Amino acid sequence: MKPMPDAHENRRLADIQTDKAEKLPAGGARDAHLKNARDLESSAHSNDWRDSNLHPPK
């Protein structure tokens, strides 16, 4: 099974997707790259939260 990327890798991939989207004209392909970047950034945020010693507020 392929290992899951860590938060830093997800942020790096999100930056790449955002850069690709900036080079494309408005449309479906650009929206898809931006959505993928948002999903990767969200995953990175979740990984940071899960891997930290912080606890959610009560």
Side-chain angles (χ1 to χ4, degrees), residues 1 7 9-10 15-17 20 22 26 29 31 36 40 45 48 52 55-56:
M1 186 163 77
E9 180 69 9
N10 279 339
D15 288 341
I16 291 170
Q17 290 296 323
K20 286 181 182 179
E22 289 174 355
D31 293 341
N36 192 3
L40 288 166
H45 180 74
D48 280 344
S52 72
H55 300 284

Side-chain angles (χ1 to χ4, degrees), residues 21-56:
E22 289 174 355
K23 296 175 185 175
L24 294 172
R30 182 178 187 157
D31 293 341
H33 283 287
L34 290 173
K35 181 185 181 308
N36 192 3
R38 283 192 307 270
D39 291 345
L40 288 166
E41 190 64 36
S42 174
S43 178
H45 180 74
S46 295
N47 287 346
D48 280 344
W49 181 259
R50 182 178 52 226
D51 296 339
S52 72
N53 291 326
L54 298 176
H55 300 284

